[in-house]
């Protein structure tokens, strides 16, 4: 189930052994984040990893 409001995802492009590029994408789910990231950076290989960015209070 997707949240009503979009949330932040950190998307990674590349290979951890050869170098990574990362960005923060506002999306409803990981699939949407990966598609948006690819549209944002079509010059890079399609990203395959997205992590939910969670803010903690404290």
């Amino acid at each position: 189930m997707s949240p009503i409001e979009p949330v932040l995802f950190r998307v990674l492009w590349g290979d951890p052994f050869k170098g990574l590029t990362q960005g923060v994408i506002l999306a409803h789910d990981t699939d949407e984040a990966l598609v948006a990231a690819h549209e944002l950076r079509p010059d890079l290989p399609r990203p395959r990893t997205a992590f939910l960015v969670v803010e903690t209070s404290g």
Side-chain angles (χ1 to χ4, degrees):
M1 178 179 221
S2 297
I4 295 171
E5 296 294 321
V7 292
L8 294 175
F9 289 89
R10 181 171 306 277
V11 178
L12 304 176
W13 293 263
D15 182 326
F17 300 106
K18 297 179 182 176
L20 289 172
T21 300
Q22 61 180 322
V24 177
I25 304 291
L26 189 63
H28 289 99
D29 58 31
T30 55
D31 291 333
E32 183 182 348
L34 293 171
V35 169
H38 178 65
E39 291 173 354
L40 181 66
R41 295 294 309 266
D43 56 309
L44 296 174
R46 204 172 261 285
R48 295 182 293 173
T49 307
F51 298 98
L52 180 63
V53 175
V54 179
E55 294 184 23
T56 59
S57 59

